[in-house]
Amino acid sequence: AGLAQWFPALEELDVSGTGLAELGTELLALPRLRTLLAKNNRLGGPGSLPKGLAQAPLGRSLRVLNLSGNRFAEVPPVLLGLRGLQSLSLGGNRLHSIPPEIQELRSLEFLYLGGNFITSIPPELANLPSLSYLVLCDNKIQSIPPQLAQLHSLRSLSLHNNLLTYLPREILNLVHLEELSLRGNPLVVRFVRDLTYNPPSLQELAGRTIKTRNVPYAPSDLPENLVRYLSLASNCPNPKCGGVYFDSCVRQIKFVDFCGKYRLPLMHYLCSPECSSPCSSASQSSTSQSESDSEDEASVAARRMQKVLLG
């Protein structure tokens, strides 16, 4: 008690490895504290973090918070109101999920969640405009949402030691990504091809015709739900096709060359099985035309990335 009176100008506080089971309310009144390190303690139980943190002087000044090596089973809701937080570390805890509300930390640049039990990544994580370093290694993640391609500031993505068998094709759109760590995933040691397709509905067939033939229409011509439906058309990534799809598409693993050594599987969506058929008998044992186009695209990404750590 009285900590803020004794150290009103305190900017960094390290209480790591001290066996603390809670951080008391005496921290809330520190008006200039920017860095709080509380690693390797016993935090994680009820009341281990002070209530009202986001509204307190500390909540407005805090920029770096490290709570790695504790016992948190979930991301503490009290942290999700720290709008000025730039770095958050919760590695080596007992987290099983990432809350969608993580998107409220709009100033976040560094997020470390490695060494937990996380099985999935919420698409809302892509709504962090300043995120540059994302560490999700040593978890149980099985897939990456394609929305992560919206993280245009991302420079480093650590995904090693998870359960990934493929990556979304959209990951190639991370134009500032310099380091991608993937070692210790099934995708590195075991490749799996997967092709699934459900026939399109009559609505989708009509929508495809309108889009591919550029049939003109105005909002006054169609019910609102159909206008909204037509706006959801996705272009087939096969440049030899020119088609579109809505709900019915071919889900396929595409093998692309990275760093001239590894065949990396990317998830690929095509508008029909014809787009994935071999373009000649000589290519039946290798790749289709659309796969080759993906490889060309991926080779550009491989040159751009400074480090692709696969093994």
Side-chain angles (χ1 to χ4, degrees):
L3 185 64
Q5 297 176 358
W6 299 335
F7 304 105
L10 192 65
E11 296 183 2
E12 180 173 341
L13 177 61
D14 189 348
V15 292
S16 300
T18 55
L20 285 174
E22 67 175 79
L23 298 177
T25 56
E26 60 270 14
L27 296 176
L28 296 180
L30 292 170
R32 300 185 185 179
L33 192 68
R34 297 178 59 86
T35 301
L36 176 57
L37 309 177
K39 303 178 292 181
N40 304 323
N41 283 299
R42 295 186 291 118
L43 302 170
S48 59
L49 297 180
K51 296 180 179 180
L53 177 58
Q55 295 75 34
L58 174 63
R60 293 188 291 270
S61 65
L62 199 60
R63 296 294 178 267
V64 178
L65 178 61
N66 192 327
L67 297 173
S68 292
N70 281 284
R71 303 176 181 180
F72 291 102
E74 63 176 2
V75 176
V78 69
L79 301 183
L80 300 175
L82 299 176
R83 304 299 174 86
L85 200 64
Q86 297 174 353
S87 175
L88 175 61
S89 298
L90 280 165
N93 277 277
R94 302 171 182 176
L95 306 179
H96 284 80
S97 63
I98 304 172
E101 292 79 10
I102 196 78
Q103 66 182 337
E104 301 299 328
L105 302 179
R106 304 285 292 177
S107 300
L108 210 59
E109 300 175 6
F110 178 92
L111 179 60
Y112 191 107
L113 298 174
N116 283 287
F117 303 96
I118 297 169
T119 57
S120 63
I121 303 172
E124 290 81 1
L125 191 63
N127 297 329
L128 297 176
S130 302
L131 194 63
S132 299
Y133 298 89
L134 177 59
V135 181
L136 296 168
C137 60
D138 299 292
N139 279 288
K140 299 181 182 297
I141 298 168
Q142 300 183 38
S143 64
I144 304 299
Q147 289 86 350
L148 285 196
Q150 301 170 20
L151 291 173
H152 301 302
S153 297
L154 199 63
R155 296 175 56 189
S156 178
L157 177 58
S158 296
L159 295 168
H160 53 272
N161 298 331
N162 276 286
L163 302 176
L164 298 171
T165 55
Y166 65 87
L167 293 177
R169 178 177 178 271
E170 289 81 0
I171 201 169
L172 300 177
N173 297 329
L174 293 172
V175 296
H176 293 110
L177 193 65
E178 299 173 354
E179 180 172 324
L180 174 63
S181 178
L182 295 168
R183 66 183 183 274
N185 279 284
L187 65 80
V188 177
V189 297
R190 184 178 72 249
F191 292 150
V192 179
R193 289 184 180 272
D194 185 18
L195 176 72
T196 59
Y197 184 68
N198 294 318
S201 64
L202 291 177
Q203 177 176 277
E204 173 146 351
L205 288 173
R208 290 187 181 196
T209 300
I210 290 174
K211 286 296 185 178
T212 56
R213 298 188 180 182
N214 295 317
V215 177
Y217 66 91
S220 58
D221 300 330
L222 299 170
E224 182 180 351
N225 64 314
L226 292 182
V227 174
R228 184 167 57 251
Y229 178 80
L230 289 171
S231 69
L232 299 177
S234 298
N235 293 321
C236 182
N238 183 357
K240 306 298 182 182
C241 173
V244 300
Y245 63 85
F246 294 86
D247 302 312
S248 180
C249 59
V250 176
R251 177 179 179 268
Q252 187 182 43
I253 298 294
K254 317 295 290 183
F255 291 84
V256 299
D257 287 324
F258 263 76
C259 298
K261 182 178 180 181
Y262 297 98
R263 299 282 287 171
L264 186 65
L266 300 181
M267 181 56 72
H268 201 77
Y269 294 93
L270 301 167
C271 68
S272 73
E274 284 74 15
C275 288
S276 60
S277 299
C279 54
S280 68
S281 59
S283 65
Q284 289 181 359
S285 61
S286 57
T287 60
S288 69
Q289 178 64 47
S290 57
E291 284 178 316
S292 299
D293 294 323
S294 292
E295 290 175 1
D296 293 339
E297 188 177 23
S299 65
V300 174
R303 289 194 297 270
R304 183 182 71 235
M305 294 183 190
Q306 295 177 3
K307 292 181 180 180
V308 181
L309 307 176
L310 295 175

